[in-house]
Every structure is written in C-alpha cells, then in structure tokens.
Amino acid sequence: MSDNYLRLIPVAPDYVPSPEQIDHALEALADISGASAWRMAVLPETQFVDPGSNLESITCPWCDARQNLEWWTEAMDRASHTGFQDLHVEMPCCGQRVSLNDLGYVWPAGFARFLIESRNPDADISAEALALASAALGMGLRKIWAHY
C-alpha cells in the first residue's frame, strides 16, 4: 500500500523554530486544517525533502529550461559533501548561479532542517491554515506533497 505525506518546510533551508513556535504552529494546524495527525521533526542537518514519485521535472528559475536529471544528481552529490550547507550551483542552461532550493521542482520539493508532516491526510491544507502556521513559526512555509 502506498502513502501520501503532506510536508511543510521553512522556505529558508537552515531555519529551526523555537519549541514555543512549534507548539503554536501545531495548535494552529490541529484547529484549522482537517489533517488529524501532525508530527514535527528537527533534523540533525539540512536534508532534501522530496515529493517521492510525484517528482516530474526540474527547471531553471531564470530561463525555465528543463534540467537533465544526471546534472541534478551530480549537483546534489556535490552539495551533500557539505551537508547541504552550500546549495549554490551554476546552471548549465544559462550560466546563472542559483540555490538548489530555488529550482523549479514539479511537484514542489526543497531543503530543510525542520518539517511538519501529516501521513495520509483527509484533505489539503487551506491557505488560511498555511498562513497561520507560517506566522506561528516566524517563517514562510513551502508545501510538499510526497507519494511513496
């Protein structure tokens, strides 16, 4: 049987909210979102938070060119050697320097040291609930739907 995960990560990859901020965000999500079981995790280092089998393509944020999966895998491997502390790469399509976190992932993905997730939620999170959780955490959030 497969599972779907709704994951919320800070837009800044190295951001870790305080315990109080986490509690407030979890309260806001429990009260509003309809997803019954949320859990949070503070990761020991920055990690790639992927969409699983939902990943369809990766594009350049500057010129919108679709990226070769082999190039992206090599860029990820190089970034992993720094524990994903340096996410900057030069795009092979246009030469612009960008963060791996800012690539156009279809479906959304990103890097994080903190995440909140719900396994097999009944519904998507509303824009209102996402905004309340972002405000409680003191940082904008990126929504990632993962399927495994």
Side-chain angles (χ1 to χ4, degrees):
M1 184 170 157
S2 60
D3 289 305
N4 291 304
Y5 292 85
L6 174 54
R7 295 181 171 139
L8 308 175
I9 64 170
V11 294
D14 58 350
Y15 182 76
V16 177
S18 72
E20 295 81 18
Q21 289 172 310
I22 293 169
D23 288 343
H24 290 290
L26 289 173
E27 288 171 16
L29 290 169
D31 288 345
I32 295 172
S33 71
S36 59
W38 290 95
R39 78 168 190 90
M40 68 88 192
V42 175
L43 307 169
E45 61 183 29
T46 302
Q47 295 181 12
F48 183 61
V49 181
D50 67 271
S53 63
N54 286 337
L55 183 63
E56 295 176 6
S57 64
I58 302 166
T59 59
C60 174
W62 284 94
C63 69
D64 208 31
R66 191 175 183 139
Q67 299 305 300
N68 178 299
L69 192 56
E70 184 177 321
W71 169 84
W72 179 78
T73 302
E74 290 172 7
M76 289 288 285
D77 185 53
R78 283 189 304 277
S80 73
H81 293 300
T82 68
F84 296 111
Q85 293 302 302
D86 181 8
L87 296 173
H88 289 92
V89 295
E90 184 176 312
M91 297 305 296
C93 46
C94 62
Q96 292 291 328
R97 203 152 157 76
V98 301
S99 169
L100 290 168
N101 195 51
D102 296 331
L103 296 178
Y105 295 100
V106 178
W107 292 33
F111 292 82
R113 281 212 48 231
F114 169 78
L115 66 83
I116 297 175
E117 74 176 3
S118 180
R119 182 177 168 208
N120 296 319
D122 296 334
D124 196 356
I125 185 172
S126 69
E128 178 189 13
L130 187 62
L132 286 172
S134 293
L137 291 172
M139 174 65 63
L141 293 172
R142 182 178 294 180
K143 178 173 60 170
I144 299 171
W145 275 103
H147 180 79
Y148 302 102

